[in-house]
Amino acid sequence: LPIREICNMALDILSAEQRIYNEGFLYRDLSPENVLFNHKDRAMLFDYGISLPLEEAQNPTEDTMNGSPYYIPPERWLAQPEDTYSEIYSLGLIMYYAVAGRSFVRSRDLPHAAQRHVSYLRIPVESKLRGFPKDIVEVLGNMVVQDPSKRYQTFEEAAKAIKELRKRHK
């Protein structure tokens, strides 16, 4: 997809995520399959089946793994707290898919997919997107970095970066 359209989709998703968050929940199931477009080409989320109250997401106790393995943030694989930075990671992977035309994590089996998200040997975005505009690589890199503390921390912070990116790609 053109970068401008990807940015518009991402901003719609961030807006929905913010609304969900303001209601006290974390969506937790971002994947291309859970993003629909209406007749005005606005992105919408559906399938809230694994959403959790913020308190539960920030204090994980589940024994089961839920979500699409290609888009689950590393902290969920490691049973660590999730928050906005987790949703930003998953959104970054959706944007990567839209830019590159393939998943960032490419594996058919679940254990291998999990390993790809948490491995310190993971190939960085910069290497996977050679030849793409530097600004999109930088934004995606800040969204899908493994360490949650190095990602954009709020939906507003991610939206600001995406709006700047969209401005440069008219």
Side-chain angles (χ1 to χ4, degrees):
L1 292 173
I3 292 174
R4 185 161 180 81
E5 288 181 36
I6 294 168
C7 291
N8 288 338
M9 173 201 62
L11 291 169
D12 287 343
I13 292 170
L14 286 170
S15 177
E17 286 273 9
Q18 184 66 64
R19 177 78 188 264
I20 295 164
Y21 192 82
N22 290 347
E23 295 296 324
F25 292 88
L26 209 57
Y27 178 70
R28 299 180 70 243
D29 202 11
L30 279 176
S31 70
E33 293 81 14
N34 288 341
V35 177
L36 296 176
F37 291 88
N38 68 15
H39 65 283
K40 295 180 181 178
D41 287 331
R42 300 294 307 264
M44 304 175 299
L45 296 177
F46 81 104
D47 188 1
Y48 292 76
I50 66 169
S51 296
L52 284 178
L54 288 173
E55 173 122 359
E56 288 181 44
Q58 293 166 347
N59 299 291
T61 58
E62 322 183 317
D63 290 336
T64 58
M65 180 62 56
N66 292 312
S68 174
Y70 299 112
Y71 302 94
I72 293 175
E75 48 274 19
R76 188 174 316 153
W77 288 110
L78 299 171
Q80 296 173 346
E82 292 182 63
D83 207 320
T84 53
Y85 48 77
S86 308
E87 299 296 285
I88 290 167
Y89 178 90
S90 297
L91 178 58
L93 293 180
I94 290 173
M95 292 175 68
Y96 176 92
Y97 181 83
V99 168
R102 63 185 180 279
S103 296
F104 185 82
V105 172
R106 298 174 77 183
S107 176
R108 294 214 182 269
D109 67 86
L110 190 61
H112 194 247
Q115 182 184 19
R116 293 284 190 184
H117 285 286
V118 300
S119 172
Y120 289 105
L121 301 174
R122 183 175 86 166
I123 298 170
V125 170
E126 299 81 19
S127 296
K128 288 184 168 233
L129 289 178
R130 288 179 200 246
F132 284 86
K134 183 180 177 185
D135 54 0
I136 186 87
V137 173
E138 183 179 322
V139 169
L140 290 177
N142 288 330
M143 293 176 82
V144 302
V145 64
Q146 286 173 309
D147 181 346
S149 69
K150 293 181 180 175
R151 291 182 212 142
Y152 299 119
Q153 294 297 297
T154 65
F155 297 129
E156 295 89 357
E157 188 180 4
K160 181 179 177 185
I162 292 168
K163 285 175 184 174
E164 286 297 317
L165 182 64
R166 181 177 65 179
K167 266 194 240 180
R168 292 189 296 272
H169 294 273
K170 293 186 178 192

